[in-house]
Amino acid sequence: MGIKTVKFGGSSVADGIQLNKIKEIVEADSDRRYVVVSAPGKRYDGDNKITDLLFMCKAQADHNIPYRQLFQVITDRYSAIKYNLGIDADLDSRYDEILAELENGCSEDYIVSRGEYLSAVLVAAYLGYDFVDTKGLILFDSKGRLLAEETNKALSEELAKHECAVLPGFYGSDIKTGEIKILSRGGSDVTGSLVARAVNADVYENWTDVSGLLMADPRIVDNPKPIEYISYMELRELSYMGASVLHEEAVFPVRLANIPINIRNTNAPDDPGTVITTESTYENSKVLSGIAGKQPFTVITVYKNMMNKEVGFVRRTLAVLEDLGISFDHIPTGIDSLSVVIESAELEDHLDEVLQEFNSRLHPDEITVVPDIALIAVVGMGLSRSVGVAAKITAALADAGINIRMLNQGTSEINVILGVESADFKPAIRAIYAAFVD
Ligand code: ASP
């Protein structure tokens, strides 16, 4: 028998109809033995996520605003699921306990974590699996940092005692005090990944409401093709550029253990979704995996004759940014010029200051500033293997009448980064997509 760790996101546990779907999914494959759940999410546009309501409840309690009505809205969501599906779980005593904690001034982390806790209690009872609390298993240090190795040990020891279990996502506890600590928003993805590593799963299935990743943003490209396989490295490049499907930190535990992640759709369980794997087990013959982009960026270019011979020039340029606490995204260089590409929001009111410091510390011949640049990442493991990729991209953009302001092949050789004017952002993505995908 194999082992699959499956994680269901907020929309997959939003109500009884969704819980029915996840029961069918789990029962369809006896390898699906470890289940991680989020708190119920939105059932329709304009609905509330339980986690958001719990944050509000705590804020109201802290400000002496009556919160019982809101608490009732939260518990009603769980009770409705329980009664609709006839689930035999004792929720009332748990509600009382949570309310008592709230009255006694419990921490925000505690109250917010109860969304996942109640969800896991319900799902465990519905599936007939053991409920295993992540308190005491997912461990944090006193600064709130996840202790990966301690967590792995505690989780694997505990889960070895359970053939099938449901665990709440999103939280764990302080290794010394035992106090509940939450992960960052969307953190149930991370819990799923930690569980997958701890049980040495064959695959980590992450069930959500989309059938995996698409090759481009559907708001820009009509009907983009789904990505069947992608490596962790490519995913990282695409996510950094704005394609979001998984919590960023969810990749590390499974990547370490060589476990693939399969993004699946609870509402279309027959769709294969996207498989994210390590580079070594990667099977993709395609040159291009995906295109993503972000804007606006500002490009500051410093020109100085004989710059390439001036020792320490790059260091002094970056020291200016460091001293002003500004992070940069790229630094394309030429022989006599260097550009820094910075997210415009990072610069905010600091542009004048940056220019002043560049002038006084670098003594440049000239500085130019180009605001409103969009960056586009063309990502694919096949890019480095194929001849003429850059030519294909530039030809596609030339045909579309788009001027390339910057072109940079990342040293990892799995991406080409392009800078175009913000107004050309969408047409550029469409042109590149059409050039590579038929
Ligand atoms: N419920 C939490 C959130 O809304 C965690 C999660 O769903 O992953 O962020």
Side-chain angles (χ1 to χ4, degrees), residues 7 38-39 49 51 116 170 185-189:
K7 179 254 167 181
S38 283
K49 288 179 168 194
T51 305
E116 267 66 16
F170 195 37
R185 292 303 301 265
S188 301
D189 281 345

Side-chain angles (χ1 to χ4, degrees), residues 293-324:
K294 226 167 56 167
Q295 59 174 337
F297 287 87
T298 300
V299 183
I300 306 175
T301 305
V302 181
Y303 298 89
K304 190 169 187 190
N305 197 24
M306 303 295 283
M307 177 192 287
N308 60 330
K309 291 277 180 270
E310 198 173 316
V311 174
F313 194 88
V314 177
R315 184 186 51 74
R316 277 184 285 126
T317 309
L318 298 185
V320 170
L321 300 180
E322 186 176 353
D323 293 349
L324 296 174

Side-chain angles (χ1 to χ4, degrees), residues 5 22 54 97 129 153 162 164 167 180 196 198 207 222 230 267 298 319 341 351 354 357 391 398 405 423:
T5 293
I22 74 170
L54 286 165
E97 200 181 305
Y129 278 21
K153 186 167 179 289
H162 304 267
C164 297
L167 300 95
I180 296 283
W207 291 81
D222 273 347
I230 189 167
N267 304 318
T298 300
V341 183
L351 181 60
V354 171
E357 290 299 312
R405 303 293 303 240

